[in-house]
Amino acid sequence: MRWMALIWKSLMRSKRRTLLIVGSLILSVFTVAVLQSLLTTLDAVTNNPNSSNRLVVRHKSGLTQMLPRSYEAYLRQQSEVETVCALQWFGGYYQDPRNFFANFASDETTLFQTFREEFGVAGITEAQIKEYLRDGAGCIVGESLAQKNGWKVGDVVPLTGTIFPINPRLTIRLIYKSPKPSDENVLHFHYKVLEEGVPRMKGLVGSFWVRTHRPEDIPRFIERVDRHYANSAYETLTETENAFNLSFVKMLGNIGAIIQGITAAVVVAILIVTGNTMATAIRERTTEIAVFRAMGFSAGRVLALLLSEGVLLVGAGGGLGVLLANLAAGGVRESLGVAMPFFADFAILPDTVLACMAGALGIGVLATFVPAYAATRRPITDGLKAIG
Amino acid sequence: MNADRFDLGGGEPIITLRDVAKSYWREALEIPVLQGIDLEIPRGAYIALMGPSGSGKTTLLNLVAGIDRPTGGSLEVCGHELNALDDDQLAAWRNAHVGFIFQNYNLVPVLNAFENVELPLLLTGAGRGERRDRVEEALALVNLTDRMWNYPRQLSGGQEQRVAIARAIVTDPDLLVADEPTGALDAKNAEEVLALMARLNSEYQKTIVMVTHDPKAAHHARHQIHLEKGVLDKAVEVNR
Ligand SMILES: Nc1ncnc2c1ncn2[C@@H]1O[C@H](COP(=O)(O)OP(=O)(O)O)[C@@H](O)[C@H]1O
Ligand SMILES: [Mg+2]
């Protein structure tokens, strides 16, 4: 028998109790890992390094208000600007309204330059881009979206408008790959299709996406643009792309506070459950602990054995919980990722795994240490007298 | 019968108690349990410590075995002044020098006989092979080789106590302490256990201190000493 065998046999003393602790740890670590990963996913949306030099210019009064397309000329003139892309959320669907994906009418001439990271431009040839530019009724789609619907280049995609009263029939001219899954769940078509098909959109657009040369240029630029259009018929609100995305995340409510609240509650609950269970388990072994010590096991050695048991239990529970959370992350990407593009990037990141494991082990050590320490402080003669 | 004053036979003492006292306090009130205990026990002795319930037998045994501390006096056991050892040193000392036999056997229920006997060896640094040899030897000595892989619940009370005795001797200690070792056994099993202990004393030269209030059990020892209200009776009975 080795030390490990001794610890293992002690754990298997009460299988019901061992399962209770492992089970409740699986459940709570799973919950916390998934919730915390939601937060990091949303954080990533609003802290996208690719967008560090991109800005969004839109109407000060909200997203449903339009700006004149003529603003583009002024934006382009600014020395900080590399390129500008006019872009409008179209909100159409393919076949079934539940079959959601992001689709935009956008300026095909600057689209690839503005979003070169998202479109994985390195993997696209000039010829492919020309194909799209040449066909005014063409469109481009991300690979995962194409796969989901079984689309190939050359296929016609009929979109049904929900915000705008047109149903464009678009021919796929390019299928692109993107480093991030969420960026592949997108369709773009020529802005003219919207402008010519919907009279009230003539000369108007919802937003301009501006790419600056350097991130340091952004604050001055924002200030100048918004001042320039202040008190005009179409006042602007210019913000970084990350700030723009944050306004969407905020629509979900103060999700951060809710998640942290739930996490704290779960941690407290599991600490109580584990602490109580360990305390009972150790109290039931009072005599046995005294016998071990009589045989020559030092208090420190007994404490180490008991702590090993606790750490092993929560380690197993925590590990399984994280594993399950990873499996569930795949499910989230498949399901929620379709309705909310953010969640296509949902993953349990190594930092979250580490934090969850550290938290679980901390709980294990704390929950075991308190009763185990008390047990090893107790006089041996008391322990031998206890009814065990 | 012999009434000599503390003549437990000659020889070098393995246990020397000088003016040992033990008290408990209930709030400010001192409750003396042992007072003025002077005792020398020579190596190789087999002593039955007798006395009415509550007279302090267990307390005295626990002091000698180093699982309790006196409130007065000094104890030298197996060559060590116990008051001078800290708790960890005392634990190591017990592992090296003392084997414990309890009334309720106190085997670990989730370990089989082999593993129970092996437990104290885990502290000795003996390798796997050496541990196995010594466990097998100890179990053979108590005649339980065929029960090696049984768990305590699969053993009779007498067998459990014999496993416990194997556990007590597996480290080859000089001293065995037994607190009412037959208290939970029927007459036949008690006889077996007592015969085994007598053999450990005569053949293996183990010094044994056994607490009992059963005169039949006490007769298996070489000497009987009596405790009365925390004070040692000077009379020593010699059995053989
Ligand atoms: N932890 C303790 N606290 C207070 N009194 C105790 C404690 N342990 C033993 N005693 C008292 O010491 C006396 C002797 O106890 P013990 O040594 O167990 O006697 P015996 O083994 O002879 O029956 C008893 O009166 C008992 O109540
Ligand atoms: Mg007693």
Side-chain angles (χ1 to χ4, degrees):
Chain A
M1 181 176 56
R2 297 161 197 269
W3 290 110
M4 209 45 229
L6 178 60
I7 292 164
W8 178 252
K9 291 202 159 197
S10 300
L11 281 178
M12 290 300 120
R13 171 181 317 252
S14 167
K15 295 195 180 61
R16 196 183 54 80
R17 181 156 46 211
T18 299
L19 284 179
L20 174 74
I21 293 193
V22 172
S24 47
L25 262 133
I26 290 176
L27 204 67
S28 38
V29 167
F30 171 84
T31 308
V32 168
V34 168
L35 288 178
Q36 291 296 327
S37 297
L38 285 184
L39 266 191
T40 50
T41 304
L42 294 177
D43 264 1
V45 171
T46 56
N47 290 302
N48 179 2
N50 288 343
S51 55
S52 62
N53 50 6
R54 275 200 307 256
L55 296 145
V56 185
V57 183
R58 55 176 167 126
H59 197 288
K60 197 178 175 182
S61 313
L63 273 172
T64 55
Q65 306 293 309
M66 299 296 153
L67 292 174
R69 279 206 69 180
S70 58
Y71 279 18
E72 189 173 324
Y74 170 78
L75 297 174
R76 263 181 210 292
Q77 278 164 20
Q78 309 309 307
S79 63
E80 299 92 345
V81 171
E82 182 193 322
T83 182
V84 179
C85 182
L87 187 140
Q88 174 60 48
W89 175 261
F90 180 66
Y93 64 86
Y94 168 66
Q95 285 179 346
D96 184 339
R98 282 169 305 181
N99 189 359
F100 175 94
F101 57 91
N103 45 85
F104 301 95
S106 55
D107 182 351
E108 68 281 2
T109 60
T110 53
L111 184 68
F112 294 99
Q113 195 183 349
T114 311
F115 299 101
R116 52 181 170 256
E117 293 86 1
E118 282 73 8
F119 287 126
V121 164
I124 303 176
T125 64
E126 261 330 290
Q128 285 176 307
I129 294 180
K130 280 212 180 90
E131 274 295 283
Y132 174 54
L133 297 181
R134 190 185 51 74
D135 179 4
C139 70
I140 66 168
V141 298
E143 189 172 71
S144 70
L145 181 62
Q147 265 170 8
K148 214 171 298 165
N149 293 298
W151 294 336
K152 299 179 304 297
V153 171
D155 285 359
V156 173
V157 177
L159 277 191
T160 308
T162 54
I163 307 171
F164 304 103
I166 52 168
N167 303 319
R169 292 176 59 78
L170 306 164
T171 308
I172 297 176
R173 292 302 172 194
L174 166 62
I175 295 176
Y176 65 87
K177 273 195 170 103
S178 175
K180 262 201 315 181
S182 60
D183 292 325
E184 279 188 9
N185 212 16
V186 179
L187 178 151
H188 283 268
F189 59 89
H190 291 231
Y191 198 75
K192 277 190 292 292
V193 173
L194 180 67
E195 226 182 354
E196 287 167 7
V198 183
R200 67 176 160 94
M201 288 301 288
K202 190 102 199 98
L204 295 176
V205 71
S207 61
F208 294 101
W209 293 60
V210 177
R211 189 173 186 122
T212 59
H213 292 293
R214 297 173 309 147
E216 305 87 85
D217 296 339
I218 285 179
R220 274 185 297 133
F221 177 81
I222 288 178
E223 198 266 332
R224 182 163 353 108
V225 171
D226 286 347
R227 184 155 39 82
H228 182 74
Y229 290 113
N231 306 316
S232 74
Y234 299 91
E235 291 192 272
T236 57
L237 170 63
T238 305
E239 57 192 350
T240 64
E241 184 178 313
N242 283 334
F244 177 76
N245 282 332
L246 186 62
S247 62
F248 282 95
V249 172
K250 276 191 178 143
M251 285 196 228
L252 296 172
N254 193 350
I255 208 163
I258 295 169
I259 286 178
Q260 299 306 9
I262 295 175
T263 300
V266 169
V267 167
V268 170
I270 196 67
L271 191 58
I272 291 171
V273 168
T274 315
N276 253 314
T277 313
M278 292 314 277
T280 312
I282 289 171
R283 199 175 320 116
E284 284 171 7
R285 283 160 69 185
T286 298
T287 306
E288 184 176 309
I289 289 169
V291 170
F292 269 69
R293 291 178 61 202
M295 285 190 293
F297 285 66
S298 67
R301 171 93 63 176
V302 171
L303 188 62
L305 281 172
L306 294 174
L307 280 178
S308 308
E309 289 179 27
V311 164
L312 211 66
L313 274 189
V314 297
L320 287 172
V322 166
L323 200 74
L324 283 183
N326 263 305
L327 295 180
V332 169
R333 284 193 292 270
E334 303 280 302
S335 54
L336 274 183
V338 176
M340 277 183 274
F342 311 148
F343 291 125
D345 301 329
F346 184 81
I348 316 291
L349 298 179
D351 277 0
T352 311
V353 172
L354 271 179
C356 284
M357 286 312 288
L361 293 180
I363 285 172
V365 169
L366 195 65
T368 318
F369 183 81
V370 175
Y373 184 77
T376 56
R377 288 297 97 182
R378 189 171 174 173
I380 299 175
T381 50
D382 267 17
L384 289 177
K385 265 185 270 183
I387 302 306
Chain B
M1 298 278 167
N2 185 319
D4 278 350
R5 291 166 57 86
F6 278 126
D7 183 7
L8 298 173
E12 151 223 13
I14 188 170
I15 298 170
T16 307
L17 274 60
R18 296 204 196 291
D19 199 22
V20 165
K22 176 77 181 181
S23 297
Y24 291 101
W25 272 269
R26 200 152 292 150
E27 272 132 50
L29 188 70
E30 182 177 356
I31 304 169
V33 175
L34 295 175
Q35 294 170 76
I37 308 278
D38 283 304
L39 179 63
E40 265 186 21
I41 296 178
R43 190 171 287 278
Y46 182 178
I47 310 280
L49 177 55
M50 309 269 301
S53 182
S55 56
K57 305 182 294 295
T58 295
T59 306
L60 181 57
L61 191 73
N62 289 344
L63 289 175
V64 167
I67 55 174
D68 201 359
R69 303 263 192 192
T71 42
S74 68
L75 301 93
E76 194 184 321
V77 187
C78 302
H80 289 263
E81 178 55 50
L82 299 192
N83 286 341
L85 303 180
D86 68 21
D87 286 355
D88 284 355
Q89 290 169 326
L90 200 55
W93 172 85
R94 287 193 300 270
N95 184 247
H97 297 286
V98 188
F100 287 85
I101 302 165
F102 306 98
Q103 176 171 359
N104 299 317
Y105 333 128
N106 282 333
L107 297 180
V108 180
V110 292
L111 302 182
N112 59 38
F114 183 98
E115 291 163 336
N116 265 289
V117 175
E118 190 185 11
L119 267 182
L121 288 179
L122 291 178
L123 299 172
T124 61
R128 216 171 157 67
E130 188 191 344
R131 292 204 304 267
R132 193 192 51 231
D133 291 348
R134 291 173 71 168
V135 171
E136 284 173 357
E137 198 184 338
L139 281 169
L141 198 103
V142 300
N143 223 345
L144 280 177
T145 303
D146 56 334
R147 294 298 180 148
M148 198 168 328
W149 308 115
N150 285 39
Y151 285 84
R153 71 186 133 73
Q154 301 167 319
L155 299 172
S156 72
Q159 289 170 331
E160 276 197 77
Q161 190 60 302
R162 275 147 61 201
V163 173
I165 291 171
R167 179 177 67 181
I169 59 174
V170 75
T171 52
D172 197 20
D174 317 308
L175 175 65
L176 293 179
V177 295
D179 196 347
E180 310 272 10
T182 57
L185 296 175
D186 60 32
K188 182 176 160 291
N189 279 305
E191 274 306 312
E192 254 182 55
V193 162
L194 289 164
L196 184 56
M197 288 175 63
R199 204 178 139 217
L200 288 173
N201 174 246
S202 56
E203 273 180 44
Y204 294 87
Q205 287 80 45
K206 300 293 172 204
T207 307
I208 302 179
V209 181
M210 170 176 70
V211 163
T212 183
H213 61 260
D214 172 12
K216 276 224 295 277
H219 265 95
H220 284 77
R222 286 177 199 265
H223 299 96
Q224 300 177 24
I225 56 178
H226 292 261
L227 203 55
E228 194 77 49
K229 291 188 179 142
V231 180
L232 264 188
D233 190 335
K234 300 294 179 202
V236 174
E237 287 176 51
V238 180
N239 293 327
R240 54 197 147 96

